Amino acid sequence: HQPKKEKERKLTTLTKEEDSVEEPKLKYERLANGVTEILQKDAASCMTVHEKFLALGTHFGKVFLLDIQGNVTQKFEISPVRINQISLDESGEHVGICSEDGKVQVFGLYTREGFHENFDCPVKVVALHPRFSSSNYKQFVTGGNKLLLYERNWLNRWKTSTLHEGEGTITNIQWRANLIGVKIYDISTKQRITNVLRDNVSLRPDMYPCSLCWKDNSTLIIGWGSSVKICAVKERDHAEMRDLPSRYVEIVSAFETEFFISGLAPLADQLVNLYFVKENSDHMEEEFRARPRLDIIQPLPEGFEEISSDALTVRNFQENECRDYRLEHSVGESLFYIISPKDIVVAKERDQDDHIDWLLDKKKYEEALMAAEISFKNVKRHEVQKIGMAYINHLVEKGDYDTAARKCQKVLGKNMELWENEVYRFKTIGQLKPLSATSLSLSPSKGFATLIREWPGELYNNMTIVQAVADHLKKDPTNSTLLTTLAELYTYDQRYDRALEIYLRLRHKDVYQLIHKHNLFSSIEDKIVLLMDFDKEKAVDMLLDNEDKISTDRVVEELRDRPELLHIYLHKLFKRDHHKGRRYHERQIGLYAEYDRPNLLPFLRDSIHCPLEKALEICQERNFVEETVFLLSRMGNCRRALQMIMEELEDVDKAIEFAKEQDDAELWEDLISYSIDKPPFITGLLNNIGTHVDPILLIHRIKEGMEIPNLRDSLVKILHDYNLQILLREGCKKILVADSLSLLQKMHRTQMRGVRVDDMAQNFSVAVFHCRHMFHKECLPSPGTIPGVQFCNICSAKRRGPGSGILEMKK
C-alpha cells in the first residue's frame, strides 16, 4: 500500500485548512498555563500521562507534575541534565525517573519509600510494574546498555537481574500486565518470548528511536524508522511446548509508512501515528524539516488505509529531529499528547457539537438539524431551534419557500411567538400560502378526537389521518388525547400491536383484555417491560398462564436489564413449580439477595438445583448470617454453622435448636464449651438441654461463684424434666411388658395346636417340628447339647452353612 501524498495544508492553528471538504477527525489545542512558562525557560524531553495528572520531564533535569489543564502541582529537582523517561504505575501513586547522567529514582508520591541509584552510564528508560503499589509487585526495569530487572525481596532489599545485554543501547520499554516489550519478556514465567528485529538497520537508533505501545494486554505495536509491526502474544499449545516458552508472538500486520515514526497510540481498532516529515525544497536540493503529521490509519494484514491526516504547526518544528517528538495517550480517554521540545499539543476526538458546527459552517443545514435532533433531543431544544431557524433563513434566501414552510412546522413546534414572526415574514414576501398548508398543528386536539370517534371510518383516509396524528405527536409526545385517538385509529385499522403499545404507555385499564381478545401474545414479546411497569402482578400471572405462547426463556431475555422485574417473574414461577425454572436458580440467588431477602432462605430450602457454593459465596459477601448457617449445615460444615450462630447471632435458643436438629454429640460439646463463661447462655442450656444431654455434664463445668440468671428456676425445670422422663420410661416399660406377655401367650397357643401329617408309611413313628419339617424318629440325629431338646436338622444346617446337615446326619 502506498498512502496518498500529503496535500500541503497551510494551518493557521492546529487543524486542517478551513476549505477542506472532508470533516476532520481530531481537534487540537496547546497545553498552556504552567507549561507555557516552563517551555520558555526549558525544553520538554519526555512526558507520561495518567488519568489523574501529567508528568513532564525537561532537558534541565526537572520533573513537573501537572493537572490536565497544564497547571503545575509539584516540582522535583532530579538532575542537572536531561530527564530521559518517567514511568507511573496504574494507581498514579509511584513514579520512576531516569536521567542522562545515570540517575534512577523510584519513589512514592504520597509515601517515603524509595529507590535511588547512580550508574556510570546514561539510563535511557525506566518502567515500573503496572501494579507497583501492591506489595507483591515491587518490580521495575531500567534500560541503558543493559536491561535490568529490580525486585524487592521479603527482607525489603532490592535484587537485580540482567534480562538482556549486548545489542546496543535500550531506548524504549513498555510494561503491560506481565509482559515487557520490545524484547518481549514474560515476567510471570521469567522467560523471553521473542525478539522483534528492526527492518532498517541503517538508521541510527539514537536519531530514529523505537516507538512502542500496547493496544491491550496481548497486542504490542512497534514502530521503528518507517516500518510498523503489530504483534499478538499468544498461548502456545501444551503439546508444542517442550523446551519452548509458554507463549509466542505472531506478527498480524506489518507495513511501511511514507515518513519516519515518532510515536504510536491505539484508537479502538485504528492506530494514531505521529510522523517526522522531511520534504525537498523547491529551490534547493537538500531536504528541510516540515511540520510533523498526525495520521489515523486502519491497519490491514499487509498494509493500511489512511483515515485522516493532519499537519501540525508546533513551535520550532524547523529545528526538531525525529527523536525530539513523542506521542503519549490517555488510556481511558481518546486524548493524545504530541510532545516536542518547545510545544505540547493535545489532540482529541471531535464530538457531536464539533460535528454540528462543521456542518453549519459548510451550510449543510439539513444534516446539522438531523444531527442536533438526535444528539440534543429535549435537552437542548433551544439549540435545535437555533439551527432550524438558520436553515429556514437559508431556504428563504434561496427562494425555496415550500421547503422552508415545511421546516417551520418541524422547527417552531408550539412556540407561538416564533410562528407569529414567520407568518409575518412569509406574508411580507407574499408566500403565506405554503405556510398555511402546513400549520395544522394550531387546531385543537380534543375536537379532532371527537370527530374521529363520531365520523364513520369510511369517510376519511385512515392512513392519512394516522400519519397526521403521528406528526402532531412528534411535537407533543405526551398529549394523552391524541395518543388515545391514535390507538383507536390503529384498532380500527386492525393494527392491534401498535394500539397495544400506546395503551401500555397510557396505562389503559383494558390492556390485558385487549391482549386476550385479539390473541396479541406475539405482539407483546418486546413489550413485557411495559406490561410489568403497568401492573406487575397481572403481567406475571398472564405470562405464566400462557407459557406455551411466550416461553420462560423469552421473558427472561426481555427482562435482563430490569432485574427487579425479573425477580418478580422468576419468584412466581418458582412458587408454581420448583423445577420449571431450574436453569435460572443460580441467577435467582443474587436476585433474592438484592430484592427479596425474606424469601431467600425459603428458596434455598426448597430448591434442589441452585449451586450451594455460589449461594454460600453470595450470602457471605452480604453477611447474611441465617442463610449462611443453613448453607453450611446443608454442605456438612455443621460446626462452622453453629459457631456463626453463637458468635454472630449470639442467639442461644437458635444454637440449641440447631444442635437438636443435628443430634451430634460434638456439636453439643462445642455449644457447652462456648457457653460456659456466658451466664445467659448457661441459663438457656439449663432450660433446654435436659432431654438431649445429661445436665450434670454442664453443671459440673460451671465455675464456682458464677452468677447465673434464674438458676433456681432452671434447676427446678431440670428436675421436673427428669421426673417426667422417669415416668415416661416406667409407662413405656409397663406397656412393653404387657405387649410382650400378650405376644408370648399368643405364640404359645399357636405352637400348641395340632399339625396335620400326611404319611402313607406303615406304623412309623414320626417327629414334626414347628417349622413343618417332618422326620422318622429313626432318622433323627442324636440330641444336641441341651438334654431333652431336639432341633430341626434342616433349619439348623441352613443357619450353620453348606454341608453341615450331612455331617449332622452322620453323627
Side-chain angles (χ1 to χ4, degrees):
H1 172 86
Q2 284 295 326
K4 62 183 180 183
K5 286 286 185 178
E6 166 73 21
K7 296 178 181 177
E8 185 61 28
R9 298 177 175 88
K10 297 297 183 183
L11 303 180
T12 56
T13 58
L14 296 167
T15 63
K16 289 186 173 182
E17 61 178 9
E18 295 298 325
D19 295 333
S20 174
V21 176
E22 183 182 354
E23 183 179 0
K25 303 294 183 184
L26 302 171
K27 60 181 178 180
Y28 302 87
E29 61 182 12
R30 281 192 170 90
L31 195 61
N33 301 317
V35 173
T36 304
E37 184 179 349
I38 293 170
L39 298 186
Q40 286 175 350
K41 303 174 183 178
D42 204 339
S45 61
C46 61
M47 193 173 87
T48 298
V49 178
H50 190 268
E51 61 181 8
K52 301 175 184 176
F53 61 91
L54 312 174
L56 174 65
T58 72
H59 282 255
F60 290 171
K62 299 178 180 62
V63 172
F64 297 89
L65 298 188
L66 314 167
D67 62 19
I68 304 302
Q69 286 74 37
N71 300 299
V72 177
T73 59
Q74 276 186 278
K75 175 183 174 181
F76 301 99
E77 301 275 355
I78 302 297
S79 168
V81 297
R82 169 192 174 103
I83 300 297
N84 283 330
Q85 181 64 288
I86 303 170
S87 176
L88 297 167
D89 66 346
E90 289 177 349
S91 67
E93 297 178 2
H94 292 81
V95 60
I97 304 169
C98 63
S99 57
E100 191 67 16
D101 59 356
K103 287 184 179 177
V104 175
Q105 295 190 23
V106 178
F107 57 89
L109 294 176
Y110 312 106
T111 61
R112 293 185 178 182
E113 65 171 327
F115 171 90
H116 302 271
E117 188 69 67
N118 291 323
F119 294 89
D120 56 2
C121 63
V123 179
K124 297 294 184 180
V125 64
V126 62
L128 304 185
H129 192 292
R131 297 174 63 187
F132 188 87
S133 296
S134 173
S135 60
N136 296 329
Y137 298 99
K138 294 297 183 184
Q139 299 171 313
F140 67 92
V141 291
T142 62
N145 54 13
K146 297 180 181 180
L147 180 62
L148 299 177
L149 170 65
Y150 293 82
E151 300 176 279
R152 197 167 72 182
N153 60 23
W154 63 279
L155 293 173
N156 214 28
R157 296 175 181 172
W158 290 97
K159 171 190 171 185
T160 308
S161 306
T162 300
L163 302 184
H164 183 74
E165 64 179 324
E167 292 190 35
T169 303
I170 297 166
T171 59
N172 202 344
I173 301 171
Q174 292 292 326
W175 195 329
R176 181 75 173 252
N178 291 322
L179 299 176
I180 304 173
V182 61
K183 308 287 184 185
I184 303 177
Y185 187 86
D186 189 341
I187 197 70
S188 62
T189 60
K190 305 291 186 183
Q191 291 178 313
R192 190 169 86 172
I193 300 173
T194 191
N195 177 22
V196 181
L197 300 174
R198 56 177 174 155
D199 295 332
N200 191 344
V201 295
S202 63
L203 294 174
R204 289 174 52 185
D206 59 327
M207 297 297 291
Y208 299 91
C210 173
S211 296
L212 299 175
C213 70
W214 287 96
K215 178 183 175 183
D216 51 46
N217 286 351
S218 61
T219 306
L220 178 65
I221 306 172
I222 305 171
W224 212 329
S226 59
S227 69
V228 176
K229 294 179 181 178
I230 301 178
C231 307
V233 181
K234 299 184 176 182
E235 297 289 339
R236 195 184 300 277
D237 190 281
H238 289 287
E240 300 175 357
M241 277 193 187
R242 295 184 290 275
D243 297 329
L244 298 173
S246 60
R247 299 182 182 183
Y248 69 95
V249 170
E250 179 182 328
I251 298 177
V252 296
S253 179
F255 51 86
E256 289 290 322
T257 62
E258 188 177 357
F259 304 107
F260 296 115
I261 298 165
S262 293
L264 300 164
L267 176 61
D269 291 332
Q270 298 171 345
L271 189 61
V272 179
N273 284 5
L274 177 63
Y275 292 129
F276 171 69
V277 180
K278 283 187 176 182
E279 294 186 350
N280 293 320
S281 170
D282 294 337
H283 307 290
M284 296 178 290
E285 293 185 0
E286 68 270 12
E287 293 181 321
F288 68 94
R289 297 162 188 163
R291 291 175 295 170
R293 268 177 42 169
L294 192 69
D295 285 11
I296 300 177
I297 64 172
Q298 178 66 58
L300 303 172
E302 296 181 357
F304 66 93
E305 177 185 353
E306 184 182 287
I307 306 299
S308 72
S309 179
D310 296 336
L312 309 180
T313 305
V314 299
R315 296 187 181 101
N316 294 5
F317 69 85
Q318 301 91 340
E319 302 173 10
N320 294 338
E321 296 285 352
C322 182
R323 65 183 178 184
D324 294 323
Y325 293 108
R326 295 195 182 207
L327 178 64
E328 299 290 340
H329 73 286
S330 177
V331 175
E333 306 173 73
S334 296
L335 289 176
F336 306 94
Y337 294 82
I338 299 96
I339 301 104
S340 65
K342 289 296 181 179
D343 208 354
I344 298 176
V345 176
V346 184
K348 62 179 68 175
E349 282 192 287
R350 293 167 62 86
D351 57 22
Q352 191 70 357
D353 287 343
D354 298 314
H355 174 60
I356 293 170
D357 289 341
W358 183 84
L359 290 172
L360 291 173
D361 188 55
K362 301 301 178 186
K363 299 189 183 302
K364 299 183 178 183
Y365 295 104
E366 182 76 28
E367 295 178 42
L369 185 59
M370 290 176 60
E373 287 178 337
I374 294 171
S375 177
F376 300 145
K377 294 184 180 177
N378 295 328
V379 180
K380 297 181 181 178
R381 177 66 188 168
H382 62 284
E383 291 290 341
V384 178
Q385 248 172 13
K386 181 179 176 182
I387 294 167
M389 288 305 301
Y391 187 19
I392 292 170
N393 293 337
H394 173 70
L395 292 170
V396 171
E397 290 172 6
K398 284 175 57 181
D400 190 353
Y401 303 113
D402 290 337
T403 306
R406 287 196 298 272
K407 293 303 174 187
C408 282
Q409 188 175 8
K410 185 175 183 180
V411 172
L412 304 183
K414 291 189 174 183
N415 191 321
M416 300 307 296
E417 182 180 353
L418 290 178
W419 270 108
E420 290 175 5
N421 293 337
E422 291 307 306
V423 169
Y424 179 77
R425 176 162 71 161
F426 274 72
K427 181 180 178 181
T428 302
I429 60 178
Q431 295 293 333
L432 193 56
K433 184 177 180 180
L435 184 64
S436 62
T438 61
S439 57
L440 298 174
S441 59
L442 302 178
S443 60
S445 57
K446 288 189 178 179
F448 170 74
T450 303
L451 291 175
I452 289 296
R453 291 192 189 96
E454 293 178 353
W455 288 6
E458 296 83 5
L459 298 181
Y460 53 85
N461 187 319
N462 196 65
M463 292 302 297
T464 303
I465 300 300
V466 166
Q467 187 59 48
V469 175
D471 291 340
H472 281 259
L473 283 169
K474 289 179 181 177
K475 296 187 282 291
D476 188 10
T478 59
N479 189 318
S480 60
T481 302
L482 285 179
L483 284 168
T484 304
T485 303
L486 184 58
E488 291 171 355
L489 289 167
Y490 281 140
T491 304
Y492 180 80
D493 205 28
Q494 296 185 358
R495 295 164 68 180
Y496 300 117
D497 55 333
R498 304 296 297 273
L500 174 66
E501 188 172 351
I502 295 173
Y503 281 138
L504 282 172
R505 286 176 57 191
L506 295 173
R507 296 179 178 268
H508 199 281
K509 60 184 178 62
D510 296 328
V511 64
Y512 293 100
Q513 182 182 349
L514 180 70
I515 295 169
H516 284 288
K517 182 178 179 181
H518 298 290
N519 195 24
L520 301 179
F521 293 99
S522 60
S523 301
I524 66 170
E525 287 187 348
D526 59 345
K527 300 176 181 65
I528 292 172
V529 173
L530 287 173
L531 281 167
M532 293 195 67
D533 283 338
F534 178 30
D535 190 327
K536 298 178 181 62
E537 297 298 322
K538 278 188 177 181
V540 171
D541 287 339
M542 183 188 70
L543 292 168
L544 292 177
D545 291 338
N546 296 275
E547 285 183 79
D548 57 328
K549 297 169 184 170
I550 303 179
S551 68
T552 299
D553 292 347
R554 177 66 178 180
V555 177
V556 172
E557 175 66 20
E558 286 298 316
L559 296 177
R560 66 185 184 280
D561 296 327
R562 293 291 299 275
E564 75 281 8
L565 299 181
L566 178 61
H567 165 68
I568 294 170
Y569 174 81
L570 291 176
H571 174 63
K572 279 211 165 189
L573 176 64
F574 181 77
K575 286 294 184 183
R576 288 196 180 195
D577 190 327
H578 290 353
H579 307 289
K580 265 190 180 178
R582 57 183 176 271
R583 61 182 295 186
Y584 302 108
H585 283 197
E586 181 175 350
R587 189 188 301 188
Q588 281 187 265
I589 300 168
L591 293 174
Y592 276 109
E594 183 69 25
Y595 302 106
D596 189 10
R597 186 189 171 184
N599 280 313
L600 175 57
L601 190 55
F603 171 77
L604 294 173
R605 286 196 180 107
D606 294 339
S607 172
I608 61 172
H609 303 291
C610 67
L612 298 181
E613 294 82 2
K614 181 67 175 179
L616 181 62
E617 179 185 344
I618 291 174
C619 292
Q620 287 178 334
E621 286 177 356
R622 295 173 179 264
N623 198 27
F624 289 175
V625 179
E626 292 185 11
E627 292 83 355
T628 302
V629 167
F630 168 75
L631 290 167
L632 287 171
S633 64
R634 189 168 173 182
M635 296 169 72
N637 196 349
C638 295
R639 298 189 73 175
R640 174 57 185 150
L642 179 63
Q643 183 183 0
M644 288 190 69
I645 296 174
M646 295 187 293
E647 295 180 355
E648 298 190 32
L649 292 180
E650 298 183 347
D651 190 332
V652 65
D653 293 329
K654 283 191 176 180
I656 293 169
E657 181 182 355
F658 181 82
K660 287 180 179 179
E661 289 175 357
Q662 304 303 318
D663 195 20
D664 186 335
E666 291 185 359
L667 289 181
W668 284 110
E669 177 61 26
D670 290 347
L671 179 55
I672 292 171
S673 299
Y674 181 83
S675 306
I676 203 65
D677 60 348
K678 300 174 182 63
F681 274 51
I682 293 176
T683 301
L685 283 172
L686 289 172
N687 288 336
N688 295 278
I689 201 173
T691 56
H692 291 78
V693 179
D694 188 353
I696 299 300
L697 298 176
L698 173 62
I699 294 170
H700 281 167
R701 294 173 64 175
I702 300 173
K703 295 180 180 179
E704 292 186 8
M706 177 182 287
E707 293 187 9
I708 301 171
N710 302 317
L711 177 61
R712 186 187 64 181
D713 294 341
S714 299
L715 292 176
V716 168
K717 186 176 184 304
I718 289 174
L719 294 173
H720 181 268
D721 290 344
Y722 181 77
N723 287 333
L724 182 61
Q725 287 186 46
I726 295 298
L727 289 174
L728 286 172
R729 288 180 181 178
E730 289 177 353
C732 291
K733 181 179 178 182
K734 288 179 180 179
I735 294 170
L736 183 63
V737 169
D739 287 347
S740 299
L741 180 60
S742 175
L743 292 171
L744 178 63
Q745 291 172 345
K746 182 178 179 180
M747 183 184 72
H748 180 70
R749 287 195 301 271
T750 301
Q751 291 180 345
M752 292 297 294
R753 290 176 183 168
V755 178
R756 184 167 177 233
V757 177
D758 293 326
D759 194 341
M760 302 305 294
Q762 298 179 357
N763 298 327
F764 279 76
S765 296
V766 176
V768 181
F769 291 91
H770 288 292
C771 59
R772 298 298 186 267
H773 289 133
M774 182 172 61
F775 296 85
H776 293 142
K777 273 195 173 182
E778 291 80 3
C779 300
L780 283 174
S782 59
T785 56
I786 303 175
V789 178
Q790 186 74 48
F791 294 99
C792 172
N793 189 47
I794 296 173
C795 295
S796 299
K798 285 181 181 177
R799 287 194 294 270
R800 291 194 298 270
S804 58
I806 299 173
L807 294 174
E808 191 69 29
M809 293 292 291
K810 288 181 178 180
K811 291 179 182 178

